[in-house]
Amino acid sequence: MGVVPAAADDEVVRTEGGLLRGIAQDDVRTFRGIPYAAPPERWRSPRPAPPWSGVRDASQFADSCAQGEHPVGVPSTSEDCLYLDVTTPARTGKNRPVVVWIHGGSFKHGATSLYGPNRFAAQGDVVVVQVQYRLGAFGFLASPLLGSGSGNYGLEDQQAALRWVRRNAAAFGGDPRNVTLMGESAGAYSVCDHLASPTAAGLFDRAIIQSGPCAQEYSAMNYAAPRPRAVAFDYGRQLAADLECATAACLRAVPANRLLAATEPDEFGPALGGPVLPRHPAEALRLGKVNPVPVLHGINHDEESGRYGAQEVFGAPITQAAYEAAIRDTFGSDADRILTEYADVQPAGRALATVMTDSQWSTPAARTNRLLSSRMPTYAVEFAGDAPWYAGAPKPDWPVGSHHLSDVAYFFDLKVFDPPQQRYADELIRHWATFARTGTTPWPRTTPRDQTVQSLTPTGTARTNFTEDHRIPFWQSLER
């Protein structure tokens, strides 16, 4: 990022590092590529960003963190990526709520440039901060060679950004004492991890968790949930062997493109144990070892319909035989009971999406609602109804509803909506901004015994029986 001459205008602000010049965009001012930490040393904790002289140009996005090709990613080999963007309403104001957005992408992909926050900031009258953090092996490699607490550098980056927000939010008209941490998918799992992290204590005041249940246990399907340290270390040992490295120095010297190539097929996520994440968020909630703040928590009604709907239109159609084989492969001895329970759901593609949604998302979400509401003010929601589909792609023959990632389009400038969806997006932004401002919603506060959640659809909101709709008792019976 370059340095430009100083000027007296509304696009220049003073931060702890120096002056920044952003850009005016419609109803907002935007400041991009702001360093919240120094260029990181590989597999070391983030360090403070050095100050600069003059006025720093904050009109361009920083490089994305090192990652491969992906529909929700920006390919890069850069490790100098610990930057954030700030979008604030153009009209004069101060002490606005601050919403810190942690992007998803399976802890392997994503960048701030993918999410347009203008509408959220302007309509919600909030300051939106978007954070980049180290991804994949660069952010989440745990290895005995790197130390017993290794593996959570990406979470440490996020916490460094939150500390920066506490110190600098006022420069952008934000209230540093009112910070909401918001994330979707891997970003939501990150929020859960910060609720359980001793090193995140006091860094945020509210939490919004979208499609990342805190009670989700790690598995081959749920690879973004925190993994046992033994599992993470086994992977780290194998990677070191594949790279012919016997020391941390050797690992740190591997070129970024080679490390990306070696790890691109693999999955990553936070590792349990160590000072940043000593225990699973579900265990932390059960024990009361959490950072209690008001929480807005929800998933999409049809999380897996995007995956299997896309398979229907871009790959091989899901036949009844393929559906039954997938259920048997995933659930083993429970397969016959599951096939009988969901015999009323047709066709096969929709049945497979429904089974996977209810088992992998809805059941841990119900458990999460119970755990969260036992420790802190909690508002449980579900995105439902007809959500935007992938631009330019045909839809399958069965209704896809609200699938994974579709909720993000309502808050960020990713989609042109039809009129009902536009009204819905405007309403959601109002509700999310109200929660960021007050820590409350107009809907009933969740209790540990609740079976209902607030269903949010383009045609209106209402209480819905989440437990019954997603057959939670059936899935609980399989766990006994």
Side-chain angles (χ1 to χ4, degrees):
M1 298 296 170
V3 174
V4 296
D9 58 46
D10 290 340
E11 280 63 70
V12 174
V13 300
R14 181 178 294 279
T15 67
E16 64 181 1
L19 295 170
L20 292 167
R21 174 176 291 136
I23 53 177
Q25 294 182 302
D26 299 326
D27 297 329
V28 299
R29 294 182 298 143
T30 299
F31 302 83
R32 296 170 176 160
I34 306 171
Y36 67 84
E41 298 178 27
R42 188 184 292 179
W43 298 316
R44 298 190 192 279
S45 298
R47 298 164 295 122
W52 59 87
S53 58
V55 182
R56 184 184 177 95
D57 178 17
S59 65
Q60 304 297 317
F61 292 110
D63 289 341
S64 61
C65 289
Q67 59 191 280
E69 295 273 358
H70 195 268
V72 292
V74 179
S76 172
T77 58
S78 176
E79 295 184 63
D80 179 8
C81 64
L82 300 189
Y83 298 87
L84 53 78
D85 304 338
V86 180
T87 303
T88 186
R91 56 191 175 276
T92 302
K94 61 180 181 179
N95 290 329
R96 290 184 168 106
V98 180
V99 177
V100 178
W101 169 249
I102 307 295
H103 68 74
S106 300
F107 290 110
K108 288 179 61 179
H109 304 100
T112 60
S113 60
L114 295 174
Y115 302 90
N118 292 12
R119 183 164 47 88
F120 193 5
Q123 291 182 208
D125 196 32
V126 298
V127 177
V128 179
V129 180
Q130 298 169 277
V131 177
Q132 296 194 154
Y133 55 100
R134 283 174 283 182
L135 301 166
F138 301 90
F140 297 97
L141 179 65
S143 167
L145 296 177
L146 301 175
S148 60
S150 61
N152 294 317
Y153 307 101
L155 294 181
E156 291 187 64
D157 295 342
Q158 295 169 13
Q159 292 179 9
L162 287 168
R163 293 185 182 93
W164 185 95
V165 169
R166 286 290 201 206
R167 298 191 302 267
N168 292 277
F172 303 91
D175 183 353
R177 300 162 300 179
N178 186 5
V179 174
T180 296
L181 186 57
M182 174 180 174
E184 185 270 344
S185 196
Y189 288 117
S190 297
V191 177
C192 291
D193 296 339
H194 295 308
L195 287 172
S197 174
T199 54
L203 295 184
F204 57 99
D205 308 285
R206 329 218 188 281
I208 299 175
I209 302 166
Q210 296 175 212
S211 296
C214 299
Q216 183 70 273
E217 295 291 341
Y218 171 77
S219 70
M221 285 196 66
N222 304 314
Y223 44 78
R227 61 199 60 202
R229 183 154 293 270
V231 172
F233 269 14
D234 283 346
Y235 174 84
R237 291 187 186 94
Q238 185 59 54
L239 179 63
D242 292 345
L243 295 171
E244 300 180 335
C245 281
T247 65
C250 175
L251 282 174
R252 289 191 170 102
V254 173
N257 59 350
R258 185 183 174 208
L259 184 59
L260 272 176
T263 59
E264 182 58 27
D266 306 322
E267 305 297 345
F268 289 90
L272 294 171
V276 176
L277 194 60
R279 54 182 63 85
H280 194 287
E283 181 186 5
L285 284 163
R286 282 192 290 269
L287 297 175
K289 303 289 187 180
V290 290
N291 302 312
V293 298
V295 175
L296 180 57
H297 169 251
I299 64 168
N300 293 295
H301 183 276
D302 312 285
E303 288 280 357
E304 291 291 337
S305 66
R307 181 199 308 266
Y308 296 107
Q311 181 178 326
E312 289 268 35
V313 297
F314 294 117
I318 300 171
T319 64
Q320 184 67 22
Y323 160 56
E324 292 183 9
I327 297 301
R328 295 189 187 284
D329 182 59
T330 303
F331 297 102
S333 61
D334 291 324
D336 286 338
R337 289 183 62 188
I338 294 168
L339 291 169
T340 299
E341 175 69 24
Y342 285 84
D344 60 314
V345 184
Q346 297 292 330
R350 182 173 177 234
L352 183 55
T354 303
V355 169
M356 293 304 184
T357 294
D358 289 355
S359 62
Q360 306 303 311
W361 295 94
S362 307
T363 300
R367 190 178 302 121
T368 298
N369 289 337
R370 290 195 299 273
L371 289 169
L372 286 171
S373 61
S374 70
R375 296 296 178 187
M376 58 196 82
T378 300
Y379 299 89
V381 300
E382 180 178 61
F383 297 91
D386 187 21
W389 185 242
Y390 305 114
K395 281 188 175 184
D397 294 334
W398 40 272
V400 294
S402 292
H403 52 92
H404 192 67
L405 196 63
S406 62
D407 53 309
V408 176
Y410 294 116
F411 300 94
F412 296 95
D413 306 333
L414 304 173
K415 182 76 177 179
V416 176
F417 302 117
D418 61 31
Q421 291 172 339
Q422 186 61 63
R423 290 191 295 271
Y424 179 44
D426 294 343
E427 180 182 1
L428 288 176
I429 286 176
R430 287 195 301 272
H431 289 314
W432 261 234
T434 296
F435 179 79
R437 189 167 286 107
T438 67
T440 62
T441 76
W443 313 308
R445 179 171 160 177
T446 300
T447 71
R449 293 182 177 274
D450 272 347
Q451 297 188 13
T452 62
V453 303
Q454 195 73 18
S455 178
L456 310 175
T457 78
T459 57
T461 70
R463 302 301 289 179
T464 188
N465 193 318
F466 186 88
T467 300
E468 180 180 289
D469 186 27
H470 293 285
R471 313 188 195 210
I472 306 299
F474 169 75
W475 291 103
Q476 290 173 333
S477 74
L478 299 184
E479 297 173 353
R480 299 190 187 108

